[in-house]
């Protein structure tokens, strides 16, 4: 399991966790074009993406999620308590989002567990596991 921050600022946040077969995106606060070009630099294929996790509704975490879903059909995951805000910010529909609770779940070969993060809106962080490896974002 490898991790790479593609963007981290109030202008946009996007991190990828990946292995030889799959990519998991954490927050999509950059444009689809930016994502595609950064993955190309890393020699990673966007078609290997198994999902995108959204930590909260702010635009610097959701900016490109609608375009990503529209072009690639990649599943979007957000916490039940963030879902309405994400829908408002992105224009996605409830049926386009897989909602999760505080119970760990699988996205491809990655096990995802959440933890609360203090913010001005409901927000979660992620513990992501693959085999004996763990990354927290």
């Amino acid at each position: 399991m490898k991790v790479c921050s593609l963007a981290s600022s109030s202008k946009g946040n996007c991190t990828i966790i990946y292995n030889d077969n799959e990519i998991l995106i954490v927050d999509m606060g950059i444009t689809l074009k930016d994502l595609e070009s950064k993955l190309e630099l890393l020699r990673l294929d966007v078609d290997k993406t198994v999902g995108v996790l959204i930590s909260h509704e702010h635009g610097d975490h959701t900016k490109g999620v609608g375009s990503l879903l529209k072009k690639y059909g990649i599943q979007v995951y957000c916490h039940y308590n963030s879902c309405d805000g994400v829908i408002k910010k992105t224009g996605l529909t409830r049926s386009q989002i897989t909602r999760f609770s505080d119970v760990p779940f699988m996205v491809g070969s990655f096990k995802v567990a959440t933890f609360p993060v203090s913010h001005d809106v409901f927000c979660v962080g992620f513990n992501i596991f693959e085999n004996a490896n763990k990354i927290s974002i």
Side-chain angles (χ1 to χ4, degrees):
M1 178 167 70
K2 298 176 184 174
V3 62
C4 183
S5 175
L6 303 182
S8 179
S9 75
S10 58
K11 293 181 182 178
N13 294 276
C14 185
T15 302
I16 58 168
I17 292 42
Y18 62 102
N19 57 31
D20 291 338
N21 302 309
E22 299 173 327
I23 300 168
L24 177 62
I25 299 171
V26 178
D27 290 325
M28 186 57 189
I30 60 176
T31 66
L32 178 57
K33 183 179 178 181
D34 285 344
L35 175 73
E36 290 169 332
S37 66
K38 290 177 183 204
L39 289 179
E40 187 177 323
L41 286 172
L42 293 168
R43 297 185 179 157
L44 295 172
D45 183 357
V46 70
D47 289 323
K48 290 185 174 185
T49 305
V50 293
V52 57
L53 304 173
I54 302 297
S55 62
H56 65 290
E57 67 191 64
H58 288 161
D60 60 325
H61 293 262
T62 60
K63 181 179 185 175
V65 73
S67 300
L68 181 68
L69 177 66
K70 184 177 180 180
K71 183 171 181 181
Y72 293 102
I74 295 167
Q75 190 59 53
V76 177
Y77 298 83
C78 76
H79 194 281
Y80 276 97
N81 293 334
S82 293
C83 190
D84 289 340
V86 170
I87 288 169
K88 265 182 159 177
K89 294 283 185 176
T90 64
L92 297 177
T93 65
R94 193 170 289 278
S95 66
Q96 292 175 303
I97 297 173
T98 298
R99 291 161 289 192
F100 58 81
S101 63
D102 299 322
V103 176
F105 59 99
M106 297 297 294
V107 181
S109 62
F110 302 102
K111 181 179 178 182
V112 179
T114 65
F115 56 88
V117 174
S118 180
H119 204 14
D120 63 347
V121 294
F122 184 85
C123 184
V124 295
F126 301 102
N127 290 315
I128 300 167
F129 304 86
E130 183 201 38
N131 301 320
N133 301 307
K134 174 186 173 186
I135 182 76
S136 297
I137 298 175

